[in-house]
Amino acid sequence: MERSPPQSPGPGKAGDAPNRRSGHVQGARVLSPPGRRARLSSPGPSRSSEAREELRRRLLGLIERSRVVIFSKSYCPHSTRVKELFSSLGVECNVLELDQVDDGARVQEVLSEITNQKTVPNIFVNKVHVGGCDQTFQAYQSGLLQKLLQEDSAYDYDLIIIGGGSGGLSCAKEAAILGKKVMVLDFVVPSPQGTSWGLGGTCVNVGCIPKKLMHQAALLGQALCDSRKFGWEYNQQVRHNWETMTKAIQNHISSLNWGYRLSLREKAVAYVNSYGEFVEHHKIKATNKKGQETYYTAAQFVIATGERPRYLGIQGDKEYCITSDDLFSLPYCPGKTLVVGASYVALECAGFLAGFGLDVTVMVRSILLRGFDQEMAEKVGSYMEQHGVKFLRKFIPVMVQQLEKGSPGKLKVLAKSSEGTETIEEVYNTVLLAIGRDSCTRKIGLEKIGVKINEKSGKIPVNDVEQTNVPYVYAVGDILEDKPELTPVAIQSGKLLARRLFGASLEKIYHTLFWPLEWTVAGRENNTCYAKIICNKFDHDRVIGFHILGPNAGEVTQGFAAAMKCGLTKQLLDDTIGIHPTCGEVFTTLEITKSSGLDITQKGCG
Amino acid sequence: MAAMAVALRGLGGRFRWRTQAVAGGVRGAARGAAAGQRDYDLLVVGGGSGGLACAKEAAQLGRKVAVVDYVEPSPQGTRWGLGGTCVNVGCIPKKLMHQAALLGGLIQDAPHYGWEVAQPVLHDWRKMAEAVQNHVKSLNWGHRVQLQDRKVKYFNIKASFVDEHTVCGVAKGGKEILLSADHIIIATGGRPRYPTHIEGALEYGITSDDIFWLKESPGKTLVVGASYVALECAGFLTGIGLDTTIMMRSIPLRGFDQQMSSLVIEHMASHGTRFLRGCAPSRVRRLPDGQLQVTWEDRATGKEDMGTFDTVLWAIGRVPDTRSLNLEKAGVDTSPDTQKILVDSREATSVPHIYAIGDVVEGRPELTPTAIMAGRLLVQRLFGGSSDLMDYDNVPTTVFTPLEYGCVGLSEEEAVARHGQEHVEVYHAHYKPLEFTVAGRDASQCYVKMVCLREPPQLLLGLHFLGPNAGEVTQGFALGIKCGASYAQVMRTVGIHPTCSEEVVKLRISKRSGLDPTVTGC
C-alpha cells in the first residue's frame, strides 16, 4: 500500500488547510490554491481511516482462515462459473456476495487495495491471491490450482525471503511484526577478488554506507584546508591513511551487520546464512558455505537478491580489476586508479579517491550519469575535473595486463576509442569497474517454478503489488523491471514523466549559481554551486523537477521532495521564507528563468 | 479618471502614486505644491536587509529612491558599513564563526577517517576575525555597488523626521541635509540592549555589535543571556577553544520548543560550555590586571558569587532603533512598552504613507528573510499594483548552536495550547548521523520531532530538527508546511539515503505510544 497515489486518504483536507493560515488573505492567489489538487481526489467524506483499517483486518482475517474465499456478486456470470468450478472439485468455499452485504462497495475498494484487482470474482486459495475468473481457470488447467488446494498450512514458514538486503530485511521484519513465521536466506557469493561480507546487503556493506563515509573522509580533507583560513593552526603536513579509514569504516559496518542479526532475532525471524534456490513449487534448497543442503517450504516467497557489479568481459578484467564490492574493504591504498564507467557509483568513487589525494582517471564511454538531468551531470563532471579528476571521454578498455604484483600492483590498460580507431595505453595501480550492475536472478531456480524474468536484463517483471507471474512469489528492490533502481530519484522520474506527458516546451526553468557562505572565507570558488527548478507552466507553475549541486545536497533535497509530494508550486516557493544563511534558501528567491538568458553569476550577497 | 483622483484625495496622501500614474497632470493639485517638489518617490531610512530590499525593488519599478543609513558606534566604539545587522554584526559573521567552530570539530574527526593531523591544533582568533571581516567588507562594498547600479541615491547620514514627508540627515562632519519623499519606509532595525542598571555593564561589557569585530581573542568569556544570540556566541567561542560560561536567569530560547531548547543546552554543556542557571549579574569591575570581576546573585539561594573573566558579553535582548528618529514629529506611533513601531497588516504606521518593516516593528520576527520579503511585498503593493500581504505564519528559522536547531511552525507547547493535548500527535526520533559513527561522536541530542494534528490525515503543525545542517534540512520542509502537508504525505516521501533529513520521512513512533524513539540500524 506504500505505492498508493500521492493523495491524502483523509477527509476535509482542502477545508482544513486554509484554516491554519487564516488571517492573511492572499488576494488573487486564493483562486489557484496549488496545494489542493493533490488532495482533491480524497475519497468520500466522513470515512475515518480507522474504520477502513478495521475492514481491511477483517478481510485479511477471512482470507487467512479460509481454504478458499470467493469475493463475488450474485448476478455475475463469471462468479458463478468459478463457484461451479470449485464445487465440481468438491471444495468448500467461503463466498462473500458483495451485492448482498451492507458495505460491499467498501469491501471491493479495500480488496482492490490489497490485490490491485477491482473486479469480481476475486479468488484466494490458501491465502494466495489467484486472481479473477480467467486466472482461476488458467491455474486449474496448469495444475497450479490443485497444488494450491492441496497445500494446507503444512509449510515450514509463512514467508521465506531470499536476500538479506535493505528490501528483504524490512520485509521480513514487517511480516514478523504481523505475526508471520518468517525466514531470511542470505548468502554473499564472494567477488572474483574474494571479497565477501555480512548481513545487510549492498547498501550497508558495499554501497551507500561505506560510500558516504568515504565521501565524508574526502570532505574532511577539504575541511582541513578550509580550517586554516578560519584560524586553525597545525603542522602543514597532513597525510591520509587509507588503512586507518578503512578499518574504522569496516568496524562500523560490522556493528551494523551485528545489529541486523540482533533485530531479526528479536523479531523471531529465522536467519540462515545459505544460498537459496527454488527446487519446486513452494520449496527451496538452502546451501551453506560447507556445501550442506537443507530444504525449506513456505506459503509465500519474496525474492530480494539485488544486484552485483558487472564485468567488462575483456581479457584480464576478473583477474585484475576490482569493483565497488572490493573497494571499501581494500586492505591497501589503491594508488593511481582508473575508474571505468560514468554511473553515479563511478563518479562517487572517483570523487572521494581524488579527495584523498590520489591520481584518478575516469574512463567514460559516452555520457555522464545517464538518466539524470544532463546539465547537472556535466556540471558535476566539470567540478570534478577542476578538482583533479581526469576524464577520458569516449574510450573503452579492451585489455588489462598485470605488470607487477603488489599492494597495489601495476596494471597496464589498453583502451580504444568508441568512435574511431585510436588506442591508448596507460599504467595504473588499480582499475575499478563501475559500468553497471546485474540482477542476481539467474541462478536461484526461478525457471523451476516458472517465474518469468526478462531474459535480456535479468530483471523480474511484477505487477503493482510486486507480485511476479507466479502468484505466491513476490519480488522487491533492485531486481524489479521498470522500477527505478534507486527510488530516491523520484524527483528525476517526476521530471521525466512530465516530459513524456507534456513535452519539454511547457516547462519553465528557474536557475541560479550560488556561493555557500562557508566557501567565501575558505576562498573556495564562486559560481560553482547551482540550483535549478523546473515548473509546469500549465499547472500553476507546479514544480516538477528540483536540482541542486552543492554542499549537503541530500539534506537540502529531502524536505523539498516532501513539498513536491504536496503539490509544490513556484508561487509557494516564493512565499516561503528563507532560512538565513543557508544554501537551501536560494530556492525561495529564484527569479531568473533559463529562457531569459540573463546572467546568473553571483557578484555579492543577494 | 478624474472622479477617481478626487475620491482618492479624500483618503489622504496614501494613494498619491496611483494618482500620479493614472493622471499625472493632476498630481500637483493633489496636495498643494509640496507633492510635486518632493525629492523622492520613496525614502528608506535604514540600510539593512529590509531597507535595501525595499530600495532595490522600488528602483527596479522605475521609482526615484533614496536610502539613508548611519551606524551609531557601539558604546565600545565598534562601527561598520552598509548592510545592517545581518551582514555586519549578525547572521553572516555569526555563521562564519560557527563554521570556524565546526571545523574545529571536523579536525578532531579527521584522524578517525584516516587523516594524520599533527598535534597541537591551535586556533588564531586574529586570523579568523580578519578573514570574516574582509568578507563582510566585501559585502558592504557589494551593497554600495548594487545601489549604484540601480540608481538608488545613498546617504551616509543620521536621519530624524522634520515632518511627515521630510527627514533631516546629519552627516559625519555635522553637515545637515533635508530630504523629502512621498513615501517613507522606516527600517532602522534594533541594537543590543545594555543592562544599564548594572554597575560597570556599559563601561566593561561588549555585545554582539562588538564580538565579530574584536581584533584580539576575547579570552575567557561570560555570556549573559539565554537568547539565541547568547547561545550561538557561547557555542562558537567554546568551539574555538575558549573557556566560556553562559549566565541565564530563567529558560533558554524563550518562544522556541522547550524540549528542543533543553537538548540544545544539554549538548552545549556536554561539549564544554559552562552554565550558571538561575543567576543574575549585579556588578562588573575591572581588576588591576585588566580582568573583569563579575558579581552575581543565585536567585534560588539569594547567595552572591563572583568570578573573573576576560570578556563579558551581554546578549539579553535587543531594542529598536527609534529614539533618535523624532517619530513624534511625523506622528508615527510606537508601543509604549517596547518603543517598537506599530503597523497594520500592510506594514503601514499610524501615518498612512509612512511604513515600517523588519526588527523595528512591534510583533514581527527579527529575521533577515522576513524583513526582505516584507519589504519587497510592500514595495510591490506601493508601486507594482500588487495586493499581496506578507504571511508571517510558519516562518522557518535555524539556531546555529554547535548542534544546530532548525524549526518551522508551532512548538509542541503552542500546538497543545491551540489545539488541546488530545488533538495533537507528536512523532519523534533520536537518530545518529552516519558521519558521527566512524568519528565516535556522541549523538545523544540528535533528535527530530514532528508536531501534527491527531485527526487524519494529520496535518503538519511544526517540525523541529536538532542535528548537523539543520538549516538545510528545515528549508524544504518549510515548503511542505506551506503546501499544507500531512503526516501521511511526508511518510509517502522516499528518503534520501544516507542523510540526516531522511529521519524526518521515517518518523513512525508517536510520543503517545510511549515506545522508545531511538533509531537503530539503517
Side-chain angles (χ1 to χ4, degrees):
Chain A
M1 285 310 101
E2 290 290 303
R3 271 153 293 85
S4 48
Q7 67 208 14
S8 118
K13 180 83 181 292
D16 285 359
N19 274 347
R20 294 191 318 121
R21 298 198 292 264
S22 61
H24 53 90
V25 177
Q26 303 263 334
R29 240 178 284 151
V30 174
L31 293 174
S32 55
R36 183 165 306 170
R37 206 190 95 141
R39 301 186 216 112
L40 266 183
S41 42
S42 53
S46 80
R47 175 167 307 151
S48 94
S49 67
E50 258 166 60
R52 204 185 176 83
E53 263 315 296
E54 176 54 35
L55 179 62
R56 192 185 158 86
R57 267 199 299 277
R58 272 200 294 138
L59 288 180
L60 290 175
L62 180 70
I63 295 163
E64 192 89 344
R65 287 187 308 272
S66 321
R67 195 168 169 215
V68 176
V69 194
I70 303 172
F71 295 95
S72 148
K73 282 186 182 164
S74 56
Y75 53 78
C76 164
H78 303 292
S79 299
T80 311
R81 276 184 67 207
V82 170
K83 281 179 255 178
E84 284 165 5
L85 170 69
F86 280 105
S87 84
S88 75
L89 293 169
V91 175
E92 225 178 284
C93 305
N94 219 331
V95 181
L96 194 66
E97 302 286 5
L98 297 185
D99 58 329
Q100 289 172 0
V101 294
D102 282 347
D103 47 2
R106 282 174 58 195
V107 171
Q108 202 166 350
E109 223 173 90
V110 173
L111 260 184
S112 92
E113 278 179 22
I114 299 172
T115 62
N116 208 37
Q117 178 189 327
K118 289 197 185 101
T119 53
V120 290
N122 198 336
I123 295 105
F124 288 83
V125 177
N126 276 325
K127 303 174 212 173
V128 171
H129 177 233
V130 177
C133 177
D134 290 348
Q135 286 97 324
T136 308
F137 273 89
Q138 274 166 22
Y140 171 61
Q141 272 141 25
S142 74
L144 181 65
L145 186 67
Q146 294 82 332
K147 192 147 183 59
L148 282 173
L149 282 168
Q150 280 166 20
E151 289 155 358
D152 264 306
S153 45
Y155 298 122
D156 304 336
Y157 291 91
D158 294 317
L159 175 65
I160 289 180
I161 293 161
I162 310 172
S166 312
L169 291 178
S170 67
C171 193
K173 285 187 250 178
E174 205 65 30
I177 290 168
L178 295 170
K180 299 292 169 191
K181 195 176 171 199
V182 184
M183 168 180 272
V184 170
L185 288 170
D186 186 60
F187 188 84
V188 179
V189 178
S191 76
Q193 295 296 320
T195 313
S196 147
W197 51 86
L199 185 60
T202 301
C203 167
V204 171
N205 294 285
V206 290
C208 321
I209 299 295
K211 161 286 276 306
K212 188 158 184 201
L213 288 171
M214 290 204 176
H215 170 65
Q216 175 70 5
L219 289 182
L220 285 171
Q222 179 68 56
L224 288 172
C225 293
D226 286 0
S227 70
R228 295 178 196 281
K229 299 269 174 57
F230 280 89
W232 292 98
E233 292 180 340
Y234 44 90
N235 193 309
Q236 287 289 340
Q237 288 294 318
V238 176
R239 279 188 57 252
H240 186 257
N241 186 319
W242 174 275
E243 291 82 1
T244 309
M245 171 188 71
T246 316
K247 207 171 144 209
I249 291 174
Q250 289 304 319
N251 281 343
H252 175 64
I253 291 173
S254 304
S255 78
L256 291 178
N257 296 147
W258 192 80
Y260 282 124
R261 293 282 290 268
L262 198 71
S263 74
L264 287 184
R265 203 179 307 154
E266 273 169 6
K267 300 201 164 65
V269 174
Y271 162 66
V272 178
N273 185 12
S274 293
Y275 189 87
E277 210 175 332
F278 284 99
V279 285
E280 59 185 78
H281 274 294
H282 292 282
K283 192 169 185 184
I284 205 156
K285 177 175 83 179
T287 312
N288 72 8
K289 226 182 274 177
K290 294 174 193 152
Q292 289 165 333
E293 293 173 358
T294 318
Y295 293 86
Y296 302 100
T297 60
Q300 312 209 38
F301 288 82
V302 171
I303 307 168
T305 46
E307 299 180 319
R308 296 292 290 271
R310 184 177 302 157
Y311 279 81
L312 284 162
I314 58 169
Q315 191 191 329
D317 68 345
K318 286 202 175 163
E319 295 93 313
Y320 309 123
C321 299
I322 64 166
T323 68
S324 56
D325 277 358
D326 311 296
L327 180 66
F328 303 110
S329 57
L330 204 64
Y332 53 83
C333 179
K336 181 181 175 185
T337 303
L338 175 71
V339 179
V340 181
S343 61
Y344 76 90
V345 179
L347 297 193
E348 286 175 348
C349 292
F352 64 69
L353 292 175
F356 304 146
L358 301 180
D359 180 339
V360 181
T361 305
V362 181
M363 188 178 287
V364 182
R365 193 181 54 181
S366 61
I367 61 167
L368 301 180
L369 296 175
R370 187 179 299 279
F372 286 87
D373 186 287
Q374 279 302 299
E375 183 188 24
M376 300 307 281
E378 280 306 317
K379 281 185 187 292
V380 168
S382 61
Y383 181 89
M384 290 177 69
E385 220 158 356
Q386 277 163 28
H387 287 77
V389 177
K390 285 171 263 183
F391 280 85
L392 280 171
R393 308 282 291 248
K394 302 212 183 327
F395 272 96
I396 37 178
V398 285
M399 186 175 67
V400 180
Q401 257 182 334
Q402 189 175 53
L403 300 179
E404 242 175 67
K405 280 190 176 178
S407 311
K410 269 188 188 161
L411 302 171
K412 187 170 86 179
V413 179
L414 183 69
K416 74 168 176 52
S417 165
S418 60
E419 291 181 327
T421 53
E422 196 187 342
T423 58
I424 45 172
E425 208 182 271
E426 178 73 60
V427 178
Y428 300 92
N429 296 117
T430 300
V431 177
L432 174 73
L433 303 181
I435 52 167
R437 299 172 65 81
D438 289 322
S439 300
C440 306
T441 52
R442 296 186 200 269
K443 291 174 184 162
I444 52 173
L446 291 180
E447 67 288 350
K448 299 246 170 71
I449 56 165
V451 173
K452 270 192 209 137
I453 64 170
N454 178 323
E455 275 312 319
K456 212 171 144 213
S457 66
K459 298 215 169 200
I460 302 179
V462 291
N463 64 13
D464 282 354
V465 288
E466 260 104 32
Q467 199 173 26
T468 68
N469 66 309
V470 176
Y472 68 90
V473 180
Y474 296 78
V476 296
D478 294 355
I479 52 172
L480 299 188
E481 187 176 51
D482 294 332
K483 303 262 159 120
E485 242 165 71
L486 246 195
T487 6
V489 197
I491 296 160
Q492 185 61 18
S493 46
K495 179 186 149 184
L496 293 176
L497 175 65
R499 277 258 163 90
R500 283 198 300 276
L501 291 177
F502 309 116
S505 65
L506 307 186
E507 294 165 357
K508 193 148 76 185
I509 299 172
Y510 292 88
H511 66 162
T512 188
L513 290 161
F514 65 98
W515 199 16
L517 181 62
E518 297 83 345
W519 287 27
T520 58
V521 163
R524 289 207 238 164
E525 59 280 68
N526 194 354
N527 294 317
T528 306
C529 296
Y530 181 65
K532 155 164 115 170
I533 59 162
I534 299 160
C535 305
N536 179 0
K537 279 191 219 172
F538 292 99
D539 187 12
H540 307 291
D541 270 346
R542 180 178 298 273
V543 177
I544 53 176
F546 178 98
H547 304 269
I548 180 166
L549 184 65
N552 300 307
E555 308 293 1
V556 174
T557 308
Q558 184 73 77
F560 288 94
M564 283 174 72
K565 270 244 178 273
C566 309
L568 177 61
T569 64
K570 177 69 171 69
Q571 182 67 60
L572 281 162
L573 271 174
D574 293 346
D575 288 350
T576 298
I577 291 167
I579 299 177
H580 192 59
T582 62
C583 295
E585 69 176 325
V586 299
F587 288 98
T588 64
T589 54
L590 289 173
E591 280 177 348
I592 299 182
T593 60
K594 212 168 188 184
S595 53
S596 75
L598 291 173
D599 184 18
I600 53 166
T601 55
Q602 295 294 309
K603 277 116 198 165
C605 164
Chain B
M1 279 300 150
M4 185 178 160
V6 172
L8 289 172
R9 210 177 303 147
L11 297 171
R14 190 157 108 222
F15 291 102
R16 181 157 309 103
W17 66 271
R18 207 170 275 202
T19 326
Q20 283 175 20
V22 173
V26 193
R27 187 171 76 170
R31 203 191 162 102
Q37 290 161 5
R38 283 184 201 128
D39 307 328
Y40 297 98
D41 295 325
L42 176 68
L43 174 67
V44 180
V45 184
S49 317
L52 292 176
C54 289
K56 286 187 270 183
E57 192 79 16
Q60 209 121 29
L61 292 169
R63 296 291 153 167
K64 199 176 167 197
V65 187
V67 173
V68 301
D69 186 56
Y70 182 84
V71 180
E72 186 74 42
S74 77
Q76 298 299 326
T78 311
R79 59 173 78 231
W80 51 87
L82 183 62
T85 302
C86 168
V87 170
N88 294 284
V89 289
C91 326
I92 299 295
K94 158 293 270 305
K95 192 168 180 196
L96 288 171
M97 292 202 178
H98 168 65
Q99 175 72 6
L102 289 183
L103 285 168
L106 294 180
I107 294 170
Q108 285 174 15
D109 286 357
H112 295 277
Y113 283 90
W115 293 101
E116 292 167 350
V117 180
Q119 295 299 326
V121 176
L122 301 168
H123 187 261
D124 181 349
W125 173 278
R126 298 173 70 156
K127 196 166 175 194
M128 169 187 72
E130 201 187 309
V132 170
Q133 288 157 18
N134 282 342
H135 178 65
V136 170
K137 283 174 188 161
S138 78
L139 294 179
N140 295 147
W141 173 244
H143 282 303
R144 290 286 287 271
V145 172
Q146 283 182 12
L147 290 185
Q148 231 158 40
D149 286 352
R150 290 177 169 81
K151 308 232 172 353
V152 174
K153 191 83 179 137
Y154 163 66
F155 296 96
N156 185 16
I157 54 174
K158 187 173 174 179
S160 58
F161 279 90
V162 175
D163 64 38
E164 59 175 38
H165 279 289
T166 317
V167 160
C168 170
V170 184
K172 233 182 256 172
K175 206 179 138 206
E176 289 197 0
I177 176 172
L178 282 180
L179 300 168
S180 59
D182 292 346
H183 301 275
I184 299 176
I185 296 176
I186 305 171
T188 48
R191 296 292 289 268
R193 181 199 305 279
Y194 263 94
T196 41
H197 62 282
I198 297 173
E199 182 194 325
L202 198 61
E203 294 97 302
Y204 306 124
I206 65 165
T207 66
S208 58
D209 276 359
D210 309 296
I211 184 86
F212 306 110
W213 294 89
L214 291 182
K215 296 231 155 44
E216 300 296 331
S217 165
K220 183 183 175 189
T221 304
L222 174 69
V223 178
V224 182
S227 60
Y228 75 87
V229 179
L231 299 188
E232 288 176 345
C233 289
F236 70 69
L237 292 175
T238 308
I240 58 171
L242 300 179
D243 181 340
T244 310
T245 305
I246 293 184
M247 185 183 295
M248 56 172 85
R249 275 152 59 110
S250 60
I251 59 163
L253 295 177
R254 190 179 298 279
F256 286 89
D257 187 285
Q258 282 302 301
Q259 184 195 7
M260 305 303 285
S261 304
S262 320
L263 287 169
V264 167
I265 297 286
E266 197 180 296
H267 178 265
M268 288 181 72
S270 69
H271 285 74
T273 308
R274 298 170 207 271
F275 282 87
L276 289 167
R277 298 192 69 162
C279 296
S282 49
R283 199 164 57 241
V284 182
R285 281 199 182 133
R286 170 159 270 165
L287 298 175
D289 64 356
Q291 279 203 307
L292 301 175
Q293 184 185 60
V294 182
T295 311
W296 64 84
E297 188 196 24
D298 186 318
R299 286 152 62 91
T301 62
K303 274 197 197 136
E304 271 209 341
D305 211 339
M306 218 181 260
T308 54
F309 302 90
D310 297 311
T311 300
V312 176
L313 176 81
W314 306 110
I316 54 170
R318 297 174 64 82
V319 286
D321 215 352
T322 51
R323 260 165 306 170
S324 59
L325 285 174
N326 270 339
L327 289 176
E328 59 288 351
K329 285 251 173 87
V332 172
D333 290 344
T334 55
S335 153
D337 299 333
T338 61
Q339 269 73 55
K340 288 192 173 186
I341 296 174
L342 302 168
V343 299
D344 62 14
S345 62
R346 298 169 304 118
E347 328 291 354
T349 68
S350 49
V351 183
H353 66 270
I354 302 181
Y355 303 83
I357 56 157
D359 296 4
V360 77
V361 180
E362 175 76 8
R364 297 291 192 229
E366 297 185 3
L367 296 169
T368 288
T370 48
I372 292 177
M373 193 184 284
R376 285 200 178 142
L377 289 171
L378 167 61
V379 169
Q380 284 290 345
R381 290 195 300 273
L382 286 178
F383 305 121
S386 149
S387 57
D388 289 352
L389 293 175
M390 174 73 186
D391 172 8
Y392 285 99
D393 279 354
N394 296 321
V395 170
T397 190
T398 293
V399 181
F400 291 99
T401 37
L403 196 62
E404 298 170 7
Y405 166 31
C407 65
V408 54
L410 301 185
S411 66
E412 190 176 342
E413 294 87 0
E414 273 177 301
V416 167
R418 281 197 205 177
H419 301 280
Q421 186 83 54
E422 68 277 18
H423 297 298
V424 173
E425 192 80 279
V426 176
Y427 294 92
H428 64 160
H430 277 287
Y431 67 97
K432 187 163 196 167
L434 178 62
E435 296 84 343
F436 280 28
T437 55
V438 163
R441 283 212 220 179
D442 175 43
S444 313
Q445 287 88 22
C446 291
Y447 180 70
V448 53
K449 82 172 170 185
M450 193 150 78
V451 183
C452 308
L453 280 178
R454 198 174 174 196
E455 189 71 16
Q458 302 191 305
L459 280 181
L460 227 64
L461 300 175
L463 178 72
H464 302 269
F465 181 93
L466 197 54
N469 303 306
E472 309 297 358
V473 172
T474 311
Q475 184 72 75
F477 289 99
L479 252 308
I481 288 194
K482 261 244 171 294
C483 303
S486 66
Y487 173 73
Q489 283 169 319
V490 173
M491 288 309 110
R492 279 203 297 266
T493 303
V494 177
I496 301 178
H497 190 58
T499 62
C500 294
S501 54
E502 71 176 322
E503 302 301 338
V504 177
V505 300
K506 293 188 336 199
L507 287 171
R508 302 277 168 189
I509 306 268
S510 72
K511 267 197 177 173
R512 187 169 269 113
S513 74
L515 294 171
D516 179 11
T518 308
V519 176
T520 52
C522 171

